[in-house]
Amino acid sequence: MEKVKRFAIWSGPRNLSTALMRSFGSRADFEVIDEPFYAAYLKETGIKHPMYEKIINSQSSNPSVISNLCENGALVKPYQYQKHMTHHILNSFDKNFVLSVSNVFLIRKPDLVLNSYRKKNPDYQFKDLGFKQQFELFEMVKYEKGVIPPVIDSDDLTKNPSLCLKILCKEMGIEFIHSMLRWEPGPKPYDGVWGSYWYKEINNSDRFRPKTSLDENESHLLDFSAKELEIIKEANIYYQEMSKVKISID
């Protein structure tokens, strides 16, 4: 199809990334692909995530094949939404495809990310949360393409989804459609096989809902360990930098 536009949306895990995917998936003019580098990431690292074998068998684990898919894969609709986890893009993978698509960055406060992630996967390291990788991809796009790509904060998205999405769509150069504010509950055909493990909460939803947001003085209420507090401290360096250019809803 001629004149298609591909959008790569970059976030770490537990960033409301699946909710945003649902929002764009509710549009009739968008095709969606869900975490296309997941199998390649698992195969390369040997990390045994839940459903490891099923994920490896569900999609290509060749990063070059996936990069080409993201850049040149056949489309039948005008737009494509690519949901990417930043930590899936390893240093050994060719990142050039990123410069041929339009990029959006979804950020979330580190304490909220960590509190959500540890419930699903307690065996993790800082790099598994994708904060540094997200910042590095953001910097690459900014300097190589000469523009600051849209940055959206999940807190703002849940506080005022209508305004946030309207501004985001304008930044993306597409029309805002009201169907983005609601979706049918349940799994979707474009979900990766891992959805049965990771998407249980979002599958019960039909819209963006506010999340509890803790300020710096309230993080202790989540009973973080010393290790977790160090991770949050390091992650905040990258989160705060990207927050400086995020879409404002004030």
Side-chain angles (χ1 to χ4, degrees):
M1 181 176 181
E2 295 183 359
K3 296 183 179 180
V4 299
K5 194 167 185 179
R6 304 168 195 270
F7 296 96
I9 286 69
W10 299 98
S11 76
R14 317 311 288 174
N15 273 29
L16 272 69
S17 57
T18 309
L20 190 59
M21 178 173 69
R22 289 282 187 271
S23 175
F24 279 85
S26 71
R27 297 177 57 127
D29 55 354
F30 264 83
E31 294 184 28
V32 177
I33 55 174
D34 186 15
E35 301 184 26
F37 283 91
Y38 200 172
Y41 162 76
L42 293 180
K43 185 175 181 180
E44 180 71 16
T45 62
I47 295 174
K48 298 300 189 291
H49 272 197
M51 303 182 68
Y52 169 85
E53 291 186 358
K54 286 186 177 180
I55 295 169
I56 290 287
N57 293 328
S58 71
Q59 58 183 190
S60 174
S61 58
N62 184 326
S64 296
V65 170
I66 298 302
S67 293
N68 185 61
L69 173 69
C70 292
E71 185 175 1
N72 301 307
L75 296 178
V76 297
K77 296 183 180 180
Y79 306 118
Q80 183 184 59
Y81 185 101
Q82 302 175 8
K83 176 193 170 193
H84 291 289
M85 294 288 102
T86 58
H87 61 291
H88 289 175
I89 310 300
L90 302 174
N91 288 333
S92 59
F93 293 177
D94 184 357
K95 302 179 181 67
N96 284 332
F97 83 94
V98 177
L99 302 177
S100 69
V101 300
S102 297
N103 297 278
V104 175
F105 291 83
L106 174 65
I107 61 175
R108 192 184 188 196
K109 290 180 179 178
D111 56 349
L112 298 181
V113 171
L114 191 60
N115 186 53
S116 178
Y117 188 81
R118 65 182 179 173
K119 296 173 184 176
K120 285 285 189 178
N121 190 11
D123 183 20
Y124 63 89
Q125 301 177 46
F126 173 71
K127 64 181 180 180
D128 299 324
L129 302 178
F131 284 97
K132 182 180 180 182
Q133 300 96 315
Q134 184 181 49
F135 181 73
E136 290 173 345
L137 284 164
F138 172 78
E139 289 289 287
M140 183 184 84
V141 171
K142 183 173 71 172
Y143 286 108
E144 293 292 334
K145 300 189 78 169
V147 296
I148 297 176
V151 176
I152 184 171
D153 194 307
S154 64
D155 271 5
D156 296 331
L157 189 57
T158 56
K159 287 175 185 175
N160 194 333
S162 179
L163 177 59
C164 209
L165 288 170
K166 285 178 182 178
I167 298 173
L168 176 60
C169 286
K170 184 177 180 180
E171 293 261 345
M172 295 168 69
I174 62 175
E175 179 185 1
F176 168 75
I177 298 177
H178 282 278
S179 67
M180 298 177 71
L181 297 175
R182 297 289 292 268
W183 53 83
E184 290 294 323
K188 305 301 176 191
Y190 53 73
D191 290 348
V193 295
W194 50 87
S196 60
Y197 181 83
W198 291 100
Y199 296 170
K200 291 179 181 178
E201 182 178 353
I202 193 65
N203 285 344
N204 291 324
S205 75
D206 63 357
R207 72 193 78 177
F208 293 103
R209 296 188 183 278
K211 297 283 184 178
T212 301
S213 179
L214 303 180
D215 64 29
E216 293 179 0
N217 297 320
E218 296 174 312
S219 291
H220 68 279
L221 296 176
L222 294 179
D223 192 28
F224 290 121
S225 67
K227 172 191 171 182
E228 289 168 335
L229 289 173
E230 282 299 311
I231 289 175
I232 291 170
K233 181 180 178 181
E234 186 174 358
N236 264 317
I237 296 172
Y238 304 107
Y239 171 78
Q240 293 296 341
E241 278 298 308
M242 296 187 70
S243 291
K244 293 176 182 178
V245 295
K246 73 176 184 178
I247 288 172
S248 174
I249 61 170
D250 297 327

